[in-house]
Amino acid sequence: MASACDGVLDSDSLAEAENSASIQKVRSPSDSKYSYTSAAKDLQEHMVEVCNIPFEDDPSPGAPALRIQFDLSDTSLFPREERRSMSGYDAYELENDMQATSAAGSSSILFSCTPHGAGSAIQVTGTIDNDLDLSERARFRIVFRASRKMIDAINCENKIVLPDPAKMKPFPAG
């Protein structure tokens, strides 16, 4: 799995995945059809998937072991004036107006990107969903690594600094 998803799974995340009871059901990933470059082009039209690691016996594409998607967004992940986490998710305010959320098995980041040559910024949401019991920190490491690849593929002119998940602190529950 180390080469899956264009290498966005780091060694610590892979070690966590190996400890998951679900790991035995994971099919060997082959995701050559997923390219950040082609996904960046398609992002203007629809949600794009850059990673999909399926389960062996999954007859439908609905619930993979791990999936990373990107989409354009016209809303924030949570209301900016509500500086709190909710019972269903942790909310994070990051530098440069970025936001992040995390819930059971899923983590997301929202960042603003000004594509090269474009007159205005776009809001991009990157989301990881998994059934491999990955920790919140591991999910953020993976989605941030995937976001860096998407930022490069979109050719964002603005500087986007993704945080170290180990240093992130969620808003208190409210």
Side-chain angles (χ1 to χ4, degrees):
M1 270 192 6
S3 63
C5 305
D6 203 13
V8 298
L9 283 76
D10 63 349
S11 59
D12 290 340
S13 300
L14 288 168
E16 277 189 37
E18 290 297 326
N19 289 326
S20 169
S22 301
I23 196 68
Q24 301 304 321
K25 299 183 236 172
V26 172
R27 188 174 352 159
S28 180
S30 93
D31 56 5
S32 60
K33 66 182 179 178
Y34 301 110
S35 150
Y36 285 88
T37 302
S38 63
K41 291 175 186 167
D42 293 344
L43 186 60
Q44 296 295 331
E45 303 297 322
H46 54 80
M47 178 183 291
V48 295
E49 186 173 89
V50 294
C51 174
N52 187 318
I53 300 175
F55 281 119
E56 189 68 46
D57 298 329
D58 187 13
S60 69
L66 188 140
R67 173 177 39 216
I68 302 171
Q69 297 174 313
F70 288 90
D71 199 6
L72 295 184
S73 178
D74 56 2
T75 62
S76 57
L77 294 178
F78 56 89
R80 293 194 185 276
E81 64 277 1
E82 290 189 27
R83 301 176 58 81
R84 61 189 169 127
S85 295
M86 301 294 196
S87 61
Y89 68 88
D90 287 335
Y92 301 81
E93 184 175 52
L94 308 175
E95 290 183 24
N96 300 321
D97 244 3
M98 292 187 294
Q99 290 183 322
T101 57
S102 191
S106 178
S107 294
S108 297
I109 181 171
L110 174 75
F111 58 89
S112 181
C113 165
T114 304
H116 180 72
S120 60
I122 57 174
Q123 297 290 108
V124 180
T125 301
T127 301
I128 180 174
D129 295 303
N130 88 101
D131 281 331
L132 295 176
D133 303 321
L134 294 175
S135 67
E136 182 176 85
R137 189 175 288 176
R139 292 191 311 266
F140 277 130
R141 281 195 315 266
I142 294 167
V143 78
F144 290 173
R145 289 176 71 160
S147 294
R148 174 56 49 207
K149 288 181 178 289
M150 183 58 72
I151 289 163
D152 293 344
I154 296 172
N155 197 11
C156 300
E157 289 183 338
N158 53 316
K159 184 175 181 179
I160 301 170
V161 178
L162 300 171
D164 176 353
K167 296 178 181 176
M168 291 172 51
K169 302 283 185 233
F171 288 124

